[in-house]
Amino acid sequence: MANHPQWLSPAISAELQQQVLESKTLDVANGCFVYDLEQLQAHLASLQQQDVIKLWFAVKANPLSRVIQTLDSAGFNFDVASSGELAQVLQQGIAPERILNTGPAKSKQQIHAFIKQGVRVFVAESLNQLQWLNEASQAENVTPQVLLRVQLQWPEGEKNPLGGNALTPFGLSVAEWQGIKVTDFPSVDICGLHIFQWGNMLSNQKMYQLWQQMVPPLCQLANDIGMTLKILDLGGGLGIDYLQQGVGLSWQQIITDLAKIKQQAGVDELWLELGRFAVAHCGYYLSPVVDKKMNYQQAQLVLAGGINHLLRPAITDQPFPVALLRTSQSESKQYDVHGPLCTSMDKLGQFSLPEDVSVDDVLVFGLCGAYGFTESMPFFLCHEIASEWVWHSGKLTEIRTAESANWYLR
């Protein structure tokens, strides 16, 4: 490449070029993901150089085994929201005591199963869940920690700057939770509150303002229901600059701000559940160009893989950044980049790419370590499932092979 974008290091660019364009070790014919575990290790170590917050990894962001193992070695705990995520984390040798169960759809049966498997930290999102947790804990003679998830709404005319006023199934209002007393649930330790209703925040100032607004009503709720508020879980939502506009969060400022929030709330522990902020930068998606054309004076590229592997651009209007894998000295030109699906939704964005990009060239997308393949729609049109690879210690290793549609079609 003539110029390396900020999200693509020269070292990984050279390695991908060698593996794809020269040795052909990495087969990208139908699209594939590559995760740089060395970059991930360094990033996670920098996040842990603080003593203000306890860090959890939101497994939904990337449940690949080697990614989980890397986070484990960095001292992260794990936030799981389904039985499948729990099974994947346990299979990596993670102790169940280091697992937090979140998610709005926890059934009575799932709660019993999680407790039987040793999970001891839960976020209750409804009165039913709280009652089921109490019953299951009593039956198993255990006392798990339980955090109540609160959904706040701001007064009319004071719109939450992060869009958190939309009603969601996550948690309950303060008024609903005020109808309980912690003494009504003796088999669980109701010791904290969970609040999270925003996403991909890129402003330290706005995030701090939001955290400040949340503390008074949460502390009041704890007092009203007889809770000693020991833990405040602020969820995640820390943003990534997908649009490459030169904006983003300062981790050191986050730690400074959260130290103030911790003191203001008077809690023993402050938790964050990081997803994209932990793993986005380590991931890449590669796909070849299968067609190039002009359409009503607009240049278009069609790739082998699109939202069947990378759905996020279609639902957020925030494309992953992209570059041509090979070196080019051509002038840049605006291209609409589409995937192979028979729907207008399958558009990965409009990008400035070298004018000489052509059929069989390979594009590499960055910041794909989070919300990539497992957030995609791989079954529509029965295209091949993308493979996943990791780069570590100078070696590329295939963790999950590409699969044809035969493995799920009946």
Side-chain angles (χ1 to χ4, degrees):
M1 300 175 200
N3 295 298
H4 290 279
Q6 186 177 7
W7 51 266
L8 180 61
S9 73
I12 195 70
S13 173
E15 180 62 27
L16 291 176
Q17 289 189 53
Q18 197 279 325
Q19 298 289 349
V20 174
L21 305 179
E22 299 174 26
S23 70
K24 309 293 184 182
T25 301
L26 192 61
D27 182 5
V28 301
N30 294 287
C32 72
F33 291 87
V34 176
Y35 307 107
D36 182 350
L37 297 186
E38 293 179 354
Q39 189 277 343
L40 178 58
Q41 286 175 325
H43 176 58
L44 297 177
S46 69
L47 297 181
Q48 290 284 32
Q49 292 176 2
Q50 48 81 26
D51 58 3
V52 174
I53 51 178
K54 181 175 182 176
L55 293 176
W56 303 77
F57 175 57
V59 175
K60 64 181 180 179
N62 191 328
L64 191 71
S65 56
R66 290 291 297 275
V67 170
I68 291 173
Q69 292 164 20
T70 303
L71 282 138
D72 176 31
S73 66
F76 274 65
N77 298 284
F78 295 87
D79 158 23
V80 305
S82 71
S83 297
E85 288 186 350
L86 175 63
Q88 175 71 334
V89 172
L90 292 176
Q91 286 169 10
Q92 311 315 314
I94 310 299
E97 296 82 5
R98 293 173 54 207
I99 294 172
L100 164 68
N101 182 206
T102 62
K106 290 187 284 291
S107 67
K108 186 175 183 178
Q109 293 74 18
Q110 178 182 306
I111 286 171
H112 276 265
F114 273 52
I115 286 180
K116 282 181 175 294
Q117 292 176 83
V119 178
R120 295 293 180 264
V121 189
F122 293 86
V123 171
E125 310 235 9
S126 70
L127 298 174
N128 281 333
Q129 289 184 16
L130 183 56
Q131 183 61 47
W132 295 335
L133 280 163
N134 191 68
E135 293 171 359
S137 301
Q138 184 177 31
E140 296 298 323
N141 195 29
V142 297
T143 308
Q145 290 182 310
V146 174
L147 282 66
L148 308 181
R149 183 161 185 173
V150 181
Q151 185 172 165
L152 294 178
Q153 287 191 316
W154 272 251
E156 192 68 30
E158 296 182 25
K159 178 70 174 178
N160 170 2
L162 304 182
N165 276 5
L167 189 61
T168 73
F170 303 113
L172 290 175
S173 69
V174 168
E176 294 292 335
W177 283 126
Q178 281 176 330
I180 72 163
K181 293 293 182 183
V182 296
T183 52
D184 295 336
F185 305 91
S187 294
V188 294
D189 178 17
I190 304 176
C191 58
L193 296 174
H194 181 290
I195 176 74
F196 172 48
Q197 53 196 98
W198 56 89
N200 204 43
M201 188 61 190
L202 294 171
S203 167
N204 284 98
Q205 182 181 9
K206 286 185 178 180
M207 180 159 273
Y208 180 53
Q209 290 173 349
L210 184 74
W211 287 332
Q212 282 186 309
Q213 292 178 66
M214 295 186 319
V215 171
L218 295 179
C219 289
Q220 184 62 52
L221 171 62
N223 183 69
D224 290 345
I225 64 175
M227 177 202 299
T228 299
L229 184 58
K230 299 176 182 178
I231 300 168
L232 186 57
D233 185 340
L234 298 173
L238 278 64
I240 297 296
D241 184 15
Y242 289 106
L243 300 180
Q244 299 296 283
Q245 295 177 329
V247 296
L249 297 172
S250 160
W251 180 247
Q252 289 306 312
Q253 188 61 52
I254 288 172
I255 297 303
T256 298
D257 292 342
L258 287 178
K260 298 175 185 175
I261 296 297
K262 189 175 184 180
Q263 182 178 27
Q264 182 183 352
V267 293
D268 297 333
E269 295 184 30
L270 205 57
W271 294 357
L272 282 184
E273 301 155 12
L274 302 184
R276 66 172 64 84
F277 199 79
V279 297
H281 289 88
C282 80
Y284 304 91
Y285 172 72
L286 294 91
S287 182
V289 177
V290 296
D291 202 359
K292 175 183 180 180
K293 58 187 177 182
M294 290 293 298
N295 209 351
Y296 289 96
Q297 290 75 54
Q298 176 59 53
Q300 296 177 313
L301 299 176
V302 182
L303 307 187
I307 61 173
N308 55 320
H309 295 163
L310 287 177
L311 179 62
R312 191 179 187 279
I315 58 178
T316 65
D317 288 326
Q318 291 183 334
F320 291 94
V322 70
L324 179 63
L325 184 59
R326 66 171 171 83
T327 300
S328 174
Q329 302 301 327
S330 291
E331 294 294 323
S332 294
K333 181 177 180 176
Q334 292 294 117
Y335 288 92
D336 284 347
V337 178
H338 300 267
L341 304 186
C342 296
T343 168
S344 59
M345 286 178 58
D346 195 3
K347 183 178 179 180
L348 297 179
Q350 185 176 85
F351 305 99
S352 178
L353 291 164
E355 192 170 12
D356 68 347
V357 62
S358 61
V359 172
D360 294 332
D361 270 330
V362 175
L363 300 187
V364 53
F365 293 81
L367 307 181
C368 296
Y371 304 116
F373 172 70
T374 55
E375 195 188 33
S376 64
M377 48 182 295
F379 305 124
F380 187 42
L381 264 68
C382 305
H383 283 281
E384 189 168 82
I385 305 301
S387 60
E388 291 185 295
W389 299 67
V390 297
W391 167 254
H392 190 262
S393 302
K395 182 181 179 182
L396 268 176
T397 304
E398 188 176 35
I399 305 302
R400 185 172 54 77
T401 60
E403 297 278 0
S404 72
N406 292 337
W407 75 273
Y408 67 87
L409 291 177
R410 297 292 184 270

